[in-house]
């Protein structure tokens, strides 16, 4: 696996900037295009080259840190699960952060598994992705309530 990137200082909540609507729209578009290119289209190297900033900090403990770690992990994912797909249900932007609510689907030979995820991306002033956090939950076959996860 690739060597980890050097950790960068984290922004505090009170450092979140008020950005104009066109900048927030650009940031949302960049994150969705990055995610689609890396996950759905299986081109993580191109996604990093087009949409990542000077550094890429990864907080998912299953994915190596840094740009090379991201590329390694998602190239392997593309080879191992060519029929995977992510569906975007919601996207929010505030300051330099974009949050995406997704439904990840994996092929039938894996039991047609689905995952609900919330991904958080931190971007720089130019709309380039610098940092990523996520939380994943397998979609259960049944629920104690009638509310959908998506």
């Amino acid at each position: 696996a690739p060597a980890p990137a050097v950790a960068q200082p984290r922004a505090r909540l009170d450092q979140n900037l008020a950005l104009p609507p066109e900048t927030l729209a650009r940031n949302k578009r960049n994150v969705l295009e990055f995610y689609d290119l890396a996950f759905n289209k299986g081109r993580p190297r191109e996604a990093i080259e087009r949409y990542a900033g000077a550094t890429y900090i990864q907080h998912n403990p299953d994915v190596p840190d840094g740009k090379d770690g991201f590329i390694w992990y998602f190239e392997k994912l593309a080879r191992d699960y060519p029929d995977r797909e992510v569906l975007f249900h919601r996207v929010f932007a505030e300051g330099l952060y974009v949050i995406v609510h997704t439904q990840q689907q994996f092929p039938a030979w894996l039991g047609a598994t689905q995952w609900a995820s919330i991904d958080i991306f931190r971007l720089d002033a130019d709309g380039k992705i610098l940092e990523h956090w996520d939380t994943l939950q397998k979609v259960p076959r049944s629920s104690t309530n009638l509310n959908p996860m998506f």
Side-chain angles (χ1 to χ4, degrees):
V6 177
Q8 300 295 316
R10 307 296 189 261
R12 295 187 339 244
L13 285 176
D14 61 354
Q15 292 175 322
N16 206 11
L17 308 170
L19 298 176
E22 59 273 10
T23 302
L24 297 174
R26 176 207 61 196
N27 288 351
K28 289 193 283 189
R29 185 178 57 253
N30 285 356
V31 164
L32 292 176
E33 289 174 4
F34 170 80
Y35 208 152
D36 184 58
L37 189 59
F39 196 95
N40 287 334
K41 295 177 180 161
R43 299 186 342 236
R45 182 174 304 279
E46 184 179 344
I48 284 289
E49 289 169 357
R50 289 174 67 180
Y51 297 104
T55 61
Y56 183 83
I57 301 167
Q58 178 62 256
H59 294 278
N60 180 321
D62 294 328
V63 181
D65 200 12
K67 293 178 183 182
D68 290 337
F70 178 90
I71 292 166
W72 173 83
Y73 182 87
F74 284 95
E75 283 181 346
K76 181 175 180 354
L77 189 75
R79 284 189 308 273
D80 293 350
Y81 308 106
D83 297 329
R84 80 217 167 286
E85 181 182 22
V86 66
L87 305 172
F88 303 110
H89 288 279
R90 291 166 189 83
V91 60
F92 307 92
E94 181 181 21
L96 296 173
Y97 293 88
V98 174
I99 302 168
V100 184
H101 180 208
T102 71
Q103 178 179 0
Q104 298 180 17
Q105 301 181 119
F106 284 83
W109 58 269
L110 279 176
T113 56
Q114 292 189 30
W115 295 81
S117 75
I118 300 291
D119 292 270
I120 304 168
F121 296 88
R122 182 175 64 88
L123 292 82
D124 65 17
D126 296 321
K128 300 292 187 177
I129 298 167
L130 299 174
E131 195 163 8
H132 170 259
W133 298 260
D134 64 6
T135 182
L136 299 164
Q137 176 184 355
K138 191 171 184 178
V139 175
R141 297 202 184 275
S142 64
S143 175
T144 57
N145 62 58
L146 301 177
N147 303 316
M149 293 187 74
F150 307 100

